[in-house]
Amino acid sequence: MLYLAAHGSVCIPSGRQHVFMLAYRAVFGHVNDVPPGTAYESREEVKAAKLHKENEAGISWGRDDDGERAADAIVLNKGYEDDVDNWQEVIYTGAGGKTRNSTKQTSDQTWDNKGNSSLRRSRVKGNFVRVIRGSAGERAYSPVSGYRYDGLYMVVDDWSETGRSGFKICRFVLRRLGDEWQDPTSFEQQIRDLLHGRAQGVDGDEETSDEVVRRRSMSVERIVRKSAVTQRVKRLHDYTCQVCRTPLRINSNGTNYAEGAHIHALGGPQGGPRRRRQRSLSVSQLSREA
C-alpha cells in the first residue's frame, strides 16, 4: 500500500478510490448553507466557516474524487496588480512570482504552481468556485471592511501573458453563475432532508443489510427567479413574519429564519412578470435545526 502526502494530509490510494482527511477534500459549491452576502471580519473567520482552506493564499484547493488537486475557492483582495473585477466577470491573476505583502510581480508565474494547476483543473472539470471579496479589492464590489462571501463562479478560460511588471502571469476568467444558483434555499434543504429521511427509515433507524433497497424517481419543478428583492424584504422586516409578527429563532445567537413568498402567482404555466413590489410579498416562517 502506498502512502502519499497530500497538502499536509495522508492519501491512501485503493484502486481508483482515494481516501483523504475531510479538511483536505475539495468542496465545490456552497458549504454549510452559508448564503452569499455573509460577512466576516478576518480570513481566519472565512477559513473557520470552511469557505476557504487558507489564511493567506488566494487560491483554495483540495483533492477531488480522482485524487487530483482542484480549486474550490478564491479570494479577491487586490493581491495582484493585474486583477480585474467586474462582478459578473473576474479576470484573476494566478499565484506565485511576488513577495509577501506586495502586489507587483518580481518573477514569472508557472503552471506548476499548485494553486494555478488546481484552478486550471477546475476550469477543465467545470467545478463551481466560491468567490470571497476583501475590503482592499475593487471599490464598487468589495465590502467596506473584512471579507464577504459573494457566491459561485465558474472558470471559463485560462492563459499565460506578460503582466504590468513585465513578468509572465497565469490568467483566469471566472463568470458568476445565475441567481438561481446563488441562494442555498430552504426548499433545496427540504429535498435533502426528505431524501435523508427516507434513507434513515420511517422510525429514523438505519436500514439493515437484509432490507430490500428500492429506487424511487423524483422530479421537482420550481420557478427560477432572482432573489435580490426577497433578501431585501427579509432584511427590511428583520426576518420577522409580516402576518403574525413572530420571529423564529434558530439558535442561541438570536438569529431569525424567514422565507419569502409571493402572494400573487408568477404568471402561470408559461411564466410571466415577477410583480415583485413590496406589497405583493409576505414573509412566512419555517422551522429547521440550528
Side-chain angles (χ1 to χ4, degrees), residues 270-281:
Q270 303 304 318
R274 285 184 286 273
R275 302 183 185 276
R276 285 175 166 260
R277 289 174 293 189
Q278 183 179 326
R279 64 173 180 239
S280 69
L281 291 170

Side-chain angles (χ1 to χ4, degrees), residues 33 185-201 204 218 257 286-290:
D33 289 330
T185 67
S186 66
F187 175 87
E188 290 152 348
Q189 182 63 49
Q190 289 175 42
I191 295 298
R192 289 196 294 269
D193 291 344
L194 176 62
L195 294 175
H196 179 69
R198 284 178 178 169
Q200 294 293 316
M218 176 183 293
Y257 178 74
L286 295 176
S287 63
R288 69 175 185 180
E289 293 182 359

